[in-house]
Amino acid sequence: MLFHFKLESVLSLKRNIEEQIQFKFAREQMIFNNHRTRLAGLEDDRLRLAQAMEERMKKKIDGPTFLFFMESMRVQELRIRILQNTIAAQQQVVDKIRLELSEAMKQRKIIEALREKDLQHYLRESRRKEQNESDEQALLRYGRGTFR
């Protein structure tokens, strides 16, 4: 007699759901990391622009050039703020999926615990049946030996 877990299909489903959520989590985490990398690049660009502006201001600078630098700085600041908001929103998405993943793992572990409990029960029953069969065999052998 082989062990058969009644909820094996449910366990497979829970594993598949968990795997799908893991892929979703990995994708969203990668997007989050890309945004952070992009933010670091924008901040570096802003710093280089500020340094270039300081260099130009050491010399005489005309009005249109000064306005160009100021407008460029404003645009960089705006891009950085937009990306910071995007990162904050993406962090919320990642956190939400992390909670989903945690719940899916918990659901799978519950079913696996039930499976393990059923397996242990099956093994105990198998050992008990084997012991009973062994005892019967011993009694039959003993019984034949005494009647001869």
Side-chain angles (χ1 to χ4, degrees):
M1 183 167 101
L2 295 174
F3 174 69
H4 175 70
F5 182 53
K6 296 174 187 168
L7 299 175
E8 193 67 41
S9 60
V10 174
L11 180 58
S12 295
L13 179 67
K14 296 294 182 183
R15 285 179 179 153
N16 289 341
I17 289 171
E18 181 182 350
E19 188 175 301
Q20 288 173 353
I21 295 173
Q22 283 175 341
F23 285 132
K24 186 177 173 183
F25 178 74
R27 184 180 64 243
E28 295 299 332
Q29 185 70 38
M30 187 176 66
I31 291 169
F32 176 73
N33 291 338
N34 288 341
H35 285 321
R36 288 179 48 184
T37 302
R38 189 166 158 233
L39 178 63
L42 285 177
E43 288 173 342
D44 287 345
D45 291 347
R46 179 187 61 186
L47 183 61
R48 273 190 248 120
L49 185 62
Q51 289 171 346
M53 184 175 164
E54 285 179 27
E55 283 296 316
R56 289 293 297 255
M57 292 199 51
K58 288 179 183 175
K59 303 172 188 172
K60 190 172 184 179
I61 188 169
D62 60 347
T65 305
F66 179 76
L67 288 175
F68 170 76
F69 276 112
M70 292 305 291
E71 185 63 21
S72 295
M73 289 292 286
R74 189 186 69 75
V75 168
Q76 283 298 94
E77 287 292 328
L78 184 61
R79 284 181 178 169
I80 288 172
R81 270 190 251 119
I82 289 170
L83 194 54
Q84 286 171 337
N85 290 338
T86 303
I87 288 172
Q90 187 65 26
Q91 179 66 50
Q92 289 177 347
V93 169
V94 168
D95 290 344
K96 179 182 172 209
I97 294 173
R98 183 178 287 123
L99 288 175
E100 285 179 34
L101 181 58
S102 173
E103 185 62 30
M105 290 172 69
K106 200 181 308 178
Q107 294 293 319
R108 176 190 48 84
K109 286 180 181 181
I110 288 170
I111 302 296
E112 284 179 347
L114 288 173
R115 184 182 193 282
E116 184 62 29
K117 184 178 173 184
D118 281 359
L119 177 62
Q120 293 304 318
H121 178 73
Y122 168 78
L123 293 174
R124 277 194 308 274
E125 285 298 310
S126 294
R127 283 191 295 271
R128 187 184 62 76
K129 286 179 183 178
E130 285 176 16
Q131 186 62 46
N132 286 343
E133 289 174 6
S134 177
D135 290 350
E136 273 185 41
Q137 290 293 324
L139 283 174
L140 288 175
R141 280 191 209 122
Y142 178 75
R144 273 190 248 144
T146 57
F147 289 113
R148 286 187 187 184

